[in-house]
C-alpha cells in the first residue's frame, strides 16, 4: 500500500499494488538452475508478468560459468506521478502521464576459484534494455528545477565487470572491482 499526502494540498493519493512471485531452484547433474516468475497487479497500470531464468554450470572444480536472462517491470511511484516540491518545475515534480518501465536483461559470466589459492576472480558481461525508463529531467543551472519523464523508446546499458578478491590473512581480504559500462538513453 503506497500513500502520498500532497504538501500544500488537501488531497491524499493512495494505490494498493499487489504482486505474487515464486522461485524454483533445481539441480540437474552438476548444473544449478533458477526460475523466477512474478505477477504484478496495479489498479492504475494493470497487470504484468515478468520472469528470470538462471543457469550455473561448473566446468571444473574451480571454474564455473553462469547465464541469466529475464524481464522486469516497474510502475511509477506516487511521488513520480503526483509529487510536489519547491525544487521542482513550477513546484511540481510528478508527471501523471508517466508509463511503467519494462526491461529485458542478459548476463553471462565465469568465476575462477582455484582450490587453495588466496584469490577468486569473477568476470561478467551484461546487457539491459529498458523501455520507457523513468528519470528526473532538470533544466540545468542555476535552479536545476525539473520533473519526472519517460525516456520514450529503448534505453540500453551494456558492460563488463571484473572482480578480484584476495585473501590477505585469515580475517582480512581485499576486493577490487572494475566496471566498464556503456549506457545510452533512447534518443
Amino acid at each position: 500500500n503506497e500513500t502520498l499526502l500532497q504538501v500544500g494540498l488537501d488531497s491524499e493519493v493512495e494505490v494498493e499494488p499487489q504482486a505474487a512471485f515464486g522461485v524454483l531452484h533445481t539441480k540437474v547433474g552438476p548444473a544449478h538452475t533458477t526460475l523466477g516468475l512474478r505477477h504484478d497487479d496495479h489498479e492504475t497500470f494493470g497487470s504484468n508478468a515478468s520472469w528470470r531464468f538462471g543457469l550455473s554450470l561448473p566446468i571444473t572444480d574451480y571454474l564455473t560459468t553462469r547465464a541469466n536472462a529475464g524481464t522486469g517491470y516497474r510502475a511509477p511511484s506516487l511521488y513520480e506521478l503526483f509529487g510536489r516540491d519547491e525544487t521542482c518545475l513550477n513546484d511540481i515534480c510528478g508527471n501523471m502521464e508517466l508509463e511503467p518501465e519494462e526491461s529485458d536483461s542478459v548476463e553471462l559470466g565465469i568465476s575462477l576459484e582455484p582450490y587453495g589459492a588466496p584469490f577468486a576472480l569473477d568476470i561478467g558481461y551484461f546487457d539491459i534494455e529498458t523501455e520507457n525508463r523513468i528519470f528526473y529531467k532538470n533544466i540545468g543551472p542555476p535552479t536545476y528545477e525539473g520533473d519526472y519523464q519517460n525516456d520514450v523508446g529503448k534505453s540500453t546499458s551494456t558492460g563488463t565487470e571484473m572482480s578480484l578478491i584476495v585473501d590477505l590473512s585469515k580475517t582480512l581480504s581485499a576486493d577490487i572491482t572494475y566496471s566498464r559500462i556503456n549506457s545510452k538513453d533512447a534518443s
Side-chain angles (χ1 to χ4, degrees):
N1 187 14
E2 187 178 8
T3 303
L4 178 69
L5 180 62
Q6 296 290 349
V7 177
L9 296 178
D10 294 330
S11 64
E12 186 177 285
V13 180
E14 183 176 283
V15 65
E16 294 185 24
Q18 297 181 13
F21 67 93
V23 178
L24 174 66
H25 299 283
T26 61
K27 184 175 180 191
V28 179
H32 292 264
T33 62
T34 302
L35 175 63
L37 301 173
R38 179 181 172 108
H39 179 81
D40 287 277
D41 191 23
H42 194 283
E43 60 191 83
T44 304
F45 297 104
S47 295
N48 183 276
S50 54
W51 59 271
R52 178 161 282 318
F53 177 76
L55 173 66
S56 174
L57 181 63
I59 303 301
T60 66
D61 289 341
Y62 57 87
L63 182 65
T64 302
T65 61
R66 70 179 178 281
N68 294 288
T71 61
Y73 173 83
R74 184 178 82 82
S77 72
L78 288 179
Y79 188 76
E80 290 167 337
L81 290 167
F82 305 105
R84 292 182 173 270
D85 192 297
E86 62 187 34
T87 63
C88 296
L89 199 56
N90 300 319
D91 295 339
I92 300 173
C93 296
N95 178 351
M96 292 186 289
E97 302 297 318
L98 290 177
E99 294 293 324
E101 291 181 344
E102 296 187 50
S103 63
D104 296 313
S105 64
V106 173
E107 186 236 352
L108 304 170
I110 59 170
S111 296
L112 176 65
E113 297 182 41
Y115 179 76
F119 71 91
L121 178 67
D122 188 81
I123 300 171
Y125 166 81
F126 63 89
D127 185 342
I128 305 167
E129 289 185 355
T130 304
E131 181 113 16
N132 294 325
R133 180 180 64 93
I134 299 170
F135 69 103
Y136 184 82
K137 181 178 182 180
N138 69 53
I139 59 174
T143 65
Y144 294 97
E145 293 177 325
D147 62 1
Y148 287 95
Q149 300 288 320
N150 278 115
D151 192 8
V152 179
K154 287 192 178 184
S155 305
T156 61
S157 182
T158 59
T160 55
E161 293 184 330
M162 183 173 65
S163 294
L164 176 64
I165 301 169
V166 180
D167 292 328
L168 302 174
S169 70
K170 289 184 179 184
T171 59
L172 184 65
S173 65
D175 187 344
I176 302 164
T177 301
Y178 170 80
S179 298
R180 181 178 171 114
I181 301 169
N182 181 18
S183 297
K184 295 180 183 177
D185 61 20
S187 61

